[in-house]
Amino acid sequence: MLDTQAHVKAQYEKWMYPEPVMDLSQEPPGVRNASDPQQMCWAYWPTAPAYQPELDILVAGCGTNSAARYAYTHPQARVVGIDLSTSSLEHQRYLKQKHQLDNLTLHHLPIQEVASLGKDFDLIDCCGVLHHIPEPVEALSALRSVLRPEGSIFLMLYGKYGRTGVYMLQDLFRTIGLKQDDESLAIIRETLQGVSPDHYVNVYMQGEGESLDFGAGLVDTFIHAYDKGYSVTDCLDLLKDSGFTFQGWKENYFYYPDGQMAKMPQLRERLNDLSDEQLWQAMELIHGRLFQHRFYACRSDRPKETYHLDLASEAFWNYVPVNRMGDAFDVGADTPEGLVIQRNYSPRMTLGKSYAALLRQVDGTKTVRDCINSADMAMSEAKRQVKGREFLTQLWRMGYLHFRNPSQA
């Protein structure tokens, strides 16, 4: 492991990644880290009375930008970034000085030694890191030791199946002895430009692939010192082995059949008999293009009532639906066909007037029961309860809503 860690460190010293941002104020409006606690508040803490901006946040493997971005977008939070790469940390220090980020602290430190900071945290961001560590359970267990009892951790791990084309070319480049140098990058660029359009790598390059002009991105993708892809099962097993409990997926749409299987009714009927874990596994195989898994978890000893929502229970009626914060969908004008809604990572939907009326009741304060009872849905009372519940559950499964549980606050 020590040799691999040294190779990974050397890679990021030379090939800084992600591409450094020179001015955070010039990023497009609304740009946040994927784990942003303001956008994901009700996912992490569904029983919280309100979003708490004074958080202690750890960015484990902060790279070139993410810790500084956290400190910039959350000035009341106390942000700590750790990384193996001194080059990456130097750029973070540049951003700290440029934007006067007094709430940012940086440390040159491997994840396995995070306890030496003597601090604990409300939220840990560990994106794009553990799949580069040969002993991820050790690293994730170290992060658990500094997570507060009711805190959450956000993880991103490479998808095993979605990166099939990447792993094929990694094997090729390993076979011909490519190194992390400019000559090898020229061969990689030539290969990507000349490979068959039907090659699996083109699916990846069209979706998540790095620009051919960004050398560090090509190194990170195709000739990394260590890179392991994860399936849904692998992700869940890693959490369990490290003392964590799964909370949820960043984007439910990819892990539930709603909206994806209109032409596969027989298969969908079979999926209805699966447990959640089996369903997620099945959807990964059906989708085929999950290049990464983004999800959040908590310590296994966290009280279940503080994080678990059961949408099939009677408690559902007292949950409060909340439009996805920060990346809320656009609600268009009424049309003869209904109301059109759209958000990133979720499919465009056209709602009939009854469902449009229900959606307009979702204001982040009304309970499910109140939303349904207040909506003019032009249907019988009994049908409105059934269809309203199905609709709001579907919106959650398609990524349009979070739910909070004020009854446990």
Side-chain angles (χ1 to χ4, degrees), residues 225-282:
Y226 183 84
D227 177 341
K228 176 189 173 183
Y230 284 73
S231 66
V232 163
T233 303
D234 295 331
C235 294
L236 298 178
D237 286 346
L238 175 60
L239 290 177
K240 182 178 179 181
D241 293 343
S242 307
F244 282 95
T245 294
F246 177 84
Q247 283 187 263
W249 304 104
K250 164 74 171 179
E251 298 298 341
N252 280 339
Y253 170 69
F254 299 116
Y255 300 91
Y256 290 92
D258 306 65
Q260 298 190 53
M261 303 185 65
K263 297 181 179 180
M264 294 180 276
Q266 296 179 76
L267 177 58
R268 181 166 180 172
E269 185 177 349
R270 291 294 184 96
L271 295 180
N272 289 336
D273 297 329
L274 301 180
S275 66
D276 282 345
E277 291 81 0
Q278 291 171 324
L279 178 61
W280 302 331
Q281 295 164 22

Side-chain angles (χ1 to χ4, degrees), residues 96-111:
K96 174 176 178 168
Q97 181 178 11
K98 179 177 181 61
H99 297 289
Q100 299 181 344
L101 303 175
D102 296 332
N103 59 332
L104 173 62
T105 306
L106 300 165
H107 299 273
H108 183 224
L109 194 71
I111 287 175

Side-chain angles (χ1 to χ4, degrees), residues 145-362:
S145 73
V146 298
L147 183 65
R148 289 175 179 160
E150 293 195 4
S152 287
I153 183 169
F154 186 96
L155 298 162
M156 185 279 276
L157 295 172
Y158 286 156
K160 175 181 178 180
Y161 300 111
R163 285 170 58 89
T164 296
V166 170
Y167 294 131
M168 291 170 70
L169 289 193
Q170 282 187 8
D171 285 346
L172 166 65
F173 298 144
R174 197 175 297 114
T175 298
I176 63 175
L178 293 196
K179 300 178 180 179
Q180 294 180 351
D181 55 27
D182 291 335
E183 181 181 355
S184 294
L185 285 180
I187 295 173
I188 292 172
R189 291 190 177 99
E190 179 185 84
T191 303
L192 292 174
Q193 291 173 336
V195 73
S196 166
D198 296 329
H199 194 285
Y200 292 121
V201 76
N202 281 318
V203 175
Y204 176 82
M205 294 299 290
Q206 292 163 11
E208 297 285 328
E210 296 287 355
S211 166
L212 297 182
D213 295 329
F214 182 34
L218 295 180
V219 168
D220 194 76
T221 303
F222 294 106
I223 47 176
H224 199 287
Y226 183 84
D227 177 341
K228 176 189 173 183
Y230 284 73
S231 66
V232 163
T233 303
D234 295 331
C235 294
L236 298 178
D237 286 346
L238 175 60
L239 290 177
K240 182 178 179 181
D241 293 343
S242 307
F244 282 95
T245 294
F246 177 84
Q247 283 187 263
W249 304 104
K250 164 74 171 179
E251 298 298 341
N252 280 339
Y253 170 69
F254 299 116
Y255 300 91
Y256 290 92
D258 306 65
Q260 298 190 53
M261 303 185 65
K263 297 181 179 180
M264 294 180 276
Q266 296 179 76
L267 177 58
R268 181 166 180 172
E269 185 177 349
R270 291 294 184 96
L271 295 180
N272 289 336
D273 297 329
L274 301 180
S275 66
D276 282 345
E277 291 81 0
Q278 291 171 324
L279 178 61
W280 302 331
Q281 295 164 22
M283 290 309 301
E284 176 182 24
L285 298 173
I286 292 167
H287 193 277
R289 295 184 61 166
L290 287 179
F291 307 125
Q292 55 183 237
H293 297 292
R294 297 189 293 173
F295 55 100
Y296 47 101
C298 60
R299 286 171 37 163
S300 55
D301 60 353
R302 178 171 164 180
K304 191 172 184 178
E305 63 271 15
T306 69
Y307 69 87
H308 179 69
L309 297 176
D310 184 354
L311 274 59
S313 71
E314 283 302 305
F316 177 76
W317 299 104
N318 295 318
Y319 295 164
V320 174
V322 183
N323 291 344
R324 290 291 294 266
M325 299 174 66
D327 55 354
F329 50 82
D330 295 325
V331 179
D334 282 306
T335 69
E337 295 77 28
L339 184 67
V340 178
I341 60 174
Q342 176 72 70
R343 87 170 266 279
N344 290 337
Y345 302 108
S346 300
R348 183 183 179 89
M349 294 180 65
T350 300
L351 308 180
K353 293 187 180 299
S354 290
Y355 291 131
L358 175 52
L359 180 60
R360 288 195 178 94
Q361 296 298 318
V362 174

